[in-house]
Amino acid sequence: MLAFLSIWYKFFIKNQLNCFKLFESQSILESISMRLSNYFLPVLKEVPKDAEIVSHRLMLRAGMIRQQAAGLYSWLPLGFKVMQKVQKIVEQEQNRAGAIELLMPTLQPADLWRESGRYDAYGKEMLRITDRGERDLLYGPTNEEMITDIFRSSIKSYKDLPLNLYHVQWKFRDEVRPRFGTMRSREFLMKDAYSFDLNEDEAAKSYNKMFVAYLRTYYRMGLTAIPMRADTGPIGGELSHEFIIIADTGESEVYCHSDLLNKAIPSIDIDYNSDLSSIIDDWTSLFAATDDVADVAEFENAVPNDKRIKARGIEVGQLFYFGDKYSKPMGATVTDSNGKEVAVHMGSYGIGITRIVPAIIEASHDENGIIWPVSVAPFEVIILNLRAKDEECSKVCENLYSELKSANIDVLYDDTDQGAGAKFATADLIGIPFQLVIGPRGVKSGEAEFKNRASGEKNNIPLSGVVQTIVDLVIPQRRDKI
Ligand code: 5CA
């Protein structure tokens, strides 16, 4: 009777615990756990010859992407899951900052771009298309014109400002040199936000909100991104910051103060309606600029020798303020409080979602493969069943798999009958943050081998404590509550 009660008690407590966890934290996407035997994970043994940088090689080897033509990629399930997690973080932080999501089409009428004068100015990077009615269309490389058209069709008064609208949509730029996989592709997924304000002061507030949202966005993905003064290129305007990840394989040369690498990030309870200018001033008072705008003499003057960073960087996002560059020629005006009609002040704010995935890999890998930060990892844990044909091993793995799933952990269960060496190599290659290794010896002693992919640290933990150990590790590293 006592034994029965003790079993019942354990079962009850465990279920209570699981119910609690269910509401406590959820992976950023609806958890889609998987058995490897049912999954599509075409990993490559060979190192692809024409992939020049490590992220491109690892994305191909880990079965994340497949090239379909120059600069065009399919996102295979593992890669797609990472991309979706990145997108979700971007959307959450945009929403928090007060931006509102909508969706514009990929194809745009050329006439809109004739209004702004960019149809001819954009040159060969623009993919121009003619439909069956001989109408000129283009595959959008960006959306300033279309969003200005949406704005002018319904907003007429300053009372409806400020407004910030964004979407996450595929873009096409017929780059001369698409390269490095999805780092510089021709078709790529971008989040682009557009702000509308009555005057320059108000527009600065909108710019600052995006500045803070970007700091939080990259931090949540485990990236150290530094805002740097930058050139505005074909988007236009005078004020712009690029968010840069320092990496040897980066395409731009950058100059900055090393203290920017360790600055505190605004927390989740930041009030976006408060005055954010002190945060922006704090970040922008230290020297940071891309080589298009950097004055090297000024850099050397402003930054002590031991704090100077001259390095290569990957641009993962950019902010622009361009005033009435589009609103004026396109007639996007509102009446101000005196009844006067004024062109609105605009900014645009891009994040390269499909570029962030390789950028994270450039920042986080070793000789064995990718090391995903938990917040964007395709799966948070992988269970490696070293003896899939052994009944006891499989029973333990099945139990762990279902318990981890009910605790809302994203799990990949390697239930295939491949050899241990191949399983370890795949788990390291695809970079799942935590590995649970289950073999006959461990089953007998009631233990799982636990490996932390990032530190390489291994230790044995009792099977009864596995779920709690994983939950305790994973939940804070999701960075969704900080
Ligand atoms: N309309 C503005 C901001 S909404 C704009 O288009 N900005 S952009 O040109 O700087 O692009 C925004 C981001 O998209 C870049 O910071 C970069 O991260 C990403 N991006 C740009 N070109 C490519 C490309 N060819 N491949 C992958 N990502 C790209």
Side-chain angles (χ1 to χ4, degrees), residues 282-402:
D282 183 37
W283 279 84
T284 53
S285 61
L286 292 173
F287 192 100
T290 64
D291 64 349
D292 295 329
V293 296
D295 176 336
V296 179
E298 189 195 330
F299 170 63
E300 287 171 358
N301 212 10
V303 185
N305 212 348
D306 59 333
K307 298 270 185 185
R308 281 180 208 154
I309 296 185
K310 175 175 180 276
R312 303 207 64 82
I314 302 169
E315 176 208 326
V316 286
Q318 188 162 4
L319 313 178
F320 301 86
Y321 166 66
F322 41 73
D324 59 8
K325 178 177 172 183
Y326 300 90
S327 55
K328 208 166 171 186
M330 294 185 70
T333 59
V334 293
T335 46
D336 68 11
S337 57
N338 301 316
K340 201 175 132 215
E341 209 167 303
V342 291
V344 287
H345 285 247
M346 293 175 59
S348 73
Y349 315 93
I351 292 187
I353 292 183
T354 44
R355 176 178 288 183
I356 284 179
V357 179
I360 294 171
I361 299 176
E362 289 295 327
S364 184
H365 66 270
D366 64 14
E367 64 283 5
N368 298 321
I370 303 165
I371 304 172
W372 291 115
V374 169
S375 60
V376 295
F379 297 95
E380 292 161 329
V381 183
I382 182 167
I383 302 171
L384 303 178
N385 184 348
L386 295 191
R387 218 38 93 68
K389 292 203 170 105
D390 179 292
E391 216 174 289
E392 282 302 301
C393 274
S394 298
K395 210 162 94 193
V396 167
C397 289
E398 290 291 341
N399 278 342
L400 282 179
Y401 181 53
S402 81

Side-chain angles (χ1 to χ4, degrees), residues 64-90:
M64 293 176 63
I65 51 168
R66 179 175 164 72
Q67 185 176 334
Q68 305 295 163
L72 297 181
Y73 290 86
S74 291
W75 285 77
L76 306 182
L78 193 82
F80 188 51
K81 215 166 165 220
V82 177
M83 189 179 101
Q84 284 180 305
K85 286 195 175 181
V86 166
Q87 177 173 343
K88 201 84 208 160
I89 292 174
V90 169

Side-chain angles (χ1 to χ4, degrees), residues 142 144 173 175 183 185 190 192 315 317-318 320 349-350 352:
T142 174
E144 279 79 6
R173 293 182 187 172
E175 302 265 353
M183 189 77 90
S185 48
M190 191 206 287
D192 37 330
E315 176 208 326
Q318 188 162 4
F320 301 86
Y349 315 93

